[in-house]
Amino acid sequence: MSKKLIWIVITLSFIFSILIAFTAPVSQGATSRATAQIAPVDDAWRAALPRDPEAATTAYMARISPAAKARSDAYFEGGYWLQLVDLIVGIAAAVILLRSKVLVGFRDWLAAKLRVQWLIDTATAIVYSCLISLITFPLMVYEGYYREHFYGLSNLNAVDWFMENMLMLSISTIGMGIAIGMLYIALRRTRSSWWIWGAGIAISLIGVLMLLSPTYIDPLFNTYKPIADARIKDPVMAMMRANGVPIDNLYQFDASKQSNRVSANVSGIFGSAAVRMNDNLLKSSTISEIKAVLGHELGHYTMNHIYKGWMEIGIVLVIGFAFVKWALDWSIEKWGSALGIKDYADIAGLPLFIVWFSVFMFIATPINNTLIRTQEVEADIFGLNASAEPLGFAEAMLKLTQYRKSNPGDVEELMFFDHPSPRKRIYSAMRWRAEQQKP
Ligand SMILES: [Zn+2]
């Protein structure tokens, strides 16, 4: 396979990407269309809501129109297949790069000019990342642009979407180059125990990312500003003080620029923690819904979910790197000489490293989802206790059915859901309401 083929593949990928972008439907008025899919209710409906949690949950679910349910089910289920497609396309792209020996050529060319090994590794990793992005660009356009517009979830036009993704790709490519440069130092220096050192480096870098992103990365994509509206700020701050949360500022950001999704988050570590609500949540929700959602976010904060999640990812990474070590040794033994890869610490073998790591992460998807989902269940209960707004919580969860399948089977939820299903979350609110004898 010649290097010419790489350029043919990249050119075709570019043409194909433009075709996909041009045929994407325009999602005009997506916000109004999405909210109109959930039947609005009044105080009389809420007053007549059955006490029984099962019956009350059914009443909430009945408000989702069949068309809206079919659409969000199709959107979410398509996401299951895309995970597999992503893996297969990623492997195919890696095979093209390995067979063409383009990284072997680049490594040798750079080694003749540079003596510093980690710089050679970092630069090769950046080139690898750029080539992979170019080859898989049509898939990215389909997933991130065409499909989001098809389901009325994106508000970005093609140019803005492209610019935003270029910025994201630049940041991730440079970040990944540096991370891989560091990882390969561990591969060379610590020999057969590299997997444990490598996992240590990866865990530390995740910490750096969590520390820096709220202040330095997120503001590149959205504008964050403190919430000044006392009608929102006062009750939320009161709830935070009541629960001993030492955060003194609330932020809002213009997520409506990108999509209509309703969300909020607590992000940042070591004092950079902040509560941030997106403008879709603020625009479309009542105070009780906002309190319920923020109560959930305070749960994440109070139960130290960021740190626990970081440790859990750490354990998954240690196991993953142990697997990659075994698989990398095996595959380089088998194909190394034919592909021009000298040994496991040779940066030209990076595509193999990434392939094995992606295979591991794909298989670990249900485990990772369950680790996150478990925290989400905890935060839901905390939020109900903190806000005492079961109806507000149920209403907010109903809105999430815009992009999340509302009522999956148990196995499906275990495999693919990183949050509990909307139906389960509404049920937990209705159970809280019944048991606590609240209106
Ligand atoms: Zn959460």
Side-chain angles (χ1 to χ4, degrees), residues 243 292 295-300 303 305 373-390 393 420 424-433 436:
N243 287 283
H296 167 98
E297 299 304 330
L298 296 191
H300 284 312
M303 290 183 278
H305 280 168
R373 201 176 58 247
T374 307
Q375 291 192 339
E376 296 300 331
V377 173
E378 291 172 2
D380 280 355
I381 300 293
F382 184 100
L384 286 166
N385 285 322
S387 67
E389 296 280 5
F393 188 75
K424 283 208 173 137
R425 301 179 90 175
I426 293 171
Y427 178 82
S428 77
M430 292 304 106
R431 183 183 58 195
W432 189 96
R433 168 178 173 260
Q436 301 273 17

Side-chain angles (χ1 to χ4, degrees), residues 367-407:
I367 296 167
N368 290 334
N369 281 343
T370 299
L371 291 172
I372 301 169
R373 201 176 58 247
T374 307
Q375 291 192 339
E376 296 300 331
V377 173
E378 291 172 2
D380 280 355
I381 300 293
F382 184 100
L384 286 166
N385 285 322
S387 67
E389 296 280 5
L391 299 185
F393 188 75
E395 201 64 40
M397 294 306 110
L398 204 56
K399 288 184 178 140
L400 299 185
T401 61
Q402 180 194 4
Y403 58 86
R404 196 173 282 146
K405 187 172 180 177
S406 51
N407 191 16

Side-chain angles (χ1 to χ4, degrees), residues 109 157 219 249 256 303:
W109 175 80
N157 65 38
N249 227 335
S256 58
M303 290 183 278

Side-chain angles (χ1 to χ4, degrees), residues 113-127:
K113 298 183 185 306
L114 276 177
R115 288 275 156 259
V116 192
Q117 190 58 45
W118 73 265
L119 268 181
I120 298 173
D121 292 353
T122 302
T124 311
I126 289 174
V127 167

